[in-house]
């Protein structure tokens, strides 16, 4: 199983809503990542978790709150988002935080109204 | 200057053509190099890693020139299914698998 799954596929939320994005992998990977991708732009790294601990936070606003409950799951909690936060949110995983190959999930397409 | 630069294209080529994409990177500490492919509204998928000696995978050939900080991807005998955006990706040694993506080069293969 070389698959990273993400739910939901699409999400529409208002600026006052609280929602969560979920990511799961069962490849035994110990590093997981959140990326944000705007239209016609490359993915931009947001967070890196290594062995369930936050390893990198790329100066992401606090309205995005990551959580890694266990080695297979990664959540991204969203609160008080802005319309400019609308984007494709991609989760990825790799064997370790120093392993080159990252496997990406299909993404959650988020629209903030 | 962007860390990883690519010609955004689009490259419009007929089926069967050979097409080459170039990429330059600015950080000499970059140690690992990749080409990812991304279809419209889909996630990026690893196409191939790029090694100093150059490497080939079927119709795809990747080259790396460390002195010039330049990476290339050659696609021979293009297929319609090759239509996608090709992302040049570099990783800097020592950073926890922090990949830096180029803006991508769009390829459209036509009949």
């Amino acid at each position: 199983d070389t698959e990273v799954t993400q739910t939901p596929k699409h999400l529409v939320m208002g600026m006052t809503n609280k929602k969560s994005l979920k990511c799961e992998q069962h490849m035994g990977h110990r590093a997981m990542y959140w990326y944000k991708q705007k239209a016609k732009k490359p993915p931009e790294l947001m967070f890196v978790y290594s062995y369930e601990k936050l390893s990198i936070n790329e100066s992401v606003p606090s309205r995005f709150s990551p959580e890694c409950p266990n080695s297979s799951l990664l959540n991204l909690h969203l609160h008080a988002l802005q319309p400019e936060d609308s984007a494709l949110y991609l989760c990825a995983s790799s064997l370790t935080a120093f392993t080159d190959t990252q496997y990406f999930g299909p993404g959650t397409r988020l629209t903030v109204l | 200057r962007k860390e990883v630069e690519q010609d955004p294209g689009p490259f419009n080529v007929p089926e069967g053509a050979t097409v080459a994409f170039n990429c330059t990177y600015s950080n000499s500490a970059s140690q690992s190099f990749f080409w990812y492919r991304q279809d419209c509204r889909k996630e990026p998928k690893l196409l191939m890693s790029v090694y100093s000696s150059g490497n080939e995978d079927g119709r795809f050939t990747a080259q790396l020139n460390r002195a010039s900080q330049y990476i290339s991807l050659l696609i021979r005998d293009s297929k319609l299914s090759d239509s996608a955006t090709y992302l040049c990706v570099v990783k800097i040694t020592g950073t926890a698998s922090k990949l830096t993506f180029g803006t991508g080069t769009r390829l459209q293969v036509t009949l």
Side-chain angles (χ1 to χ4, degrees), chain A residues 33 35 37 42-43 45 58 90 97-102 104-106 109, chain B residues 32 34 36 38 41 43-44 46 91 94-99 101-103:
Chain A
Y33 311 80
Y35 288 84
Q37 186 174 24
L45 183 66
E58 291 287 281
L90 293 159
F98 295 95
T99 307
D100 291 339
T101 303
Q102 292 185 19
F104 284 82
R109 193 160 296 279
Chain B
S32 302
F34 313 90
Y36 274 73
Q38 186 169 25
R41 302 180 76 82
E43 73 274 24
L46 179 66
K91 175 176 175 287
T95 51
S97 210
K98 182 178 172 180
L99 302 181
F101 288 77
T103 50

Side-chain angles (χ1 to χ4, degrees), chain A residues 7-23:
Chain A
T7 55
K9 287 186 179 175
H10 301 274
L11 178 61
V12 179
M13 60 187 289
M15 289 190 284
T16 58
N17 292 158
K18 283 184 182 181
K19 296 286 184 184
S20 296
L21 309 185
K22 295 186 185 305
C23 174

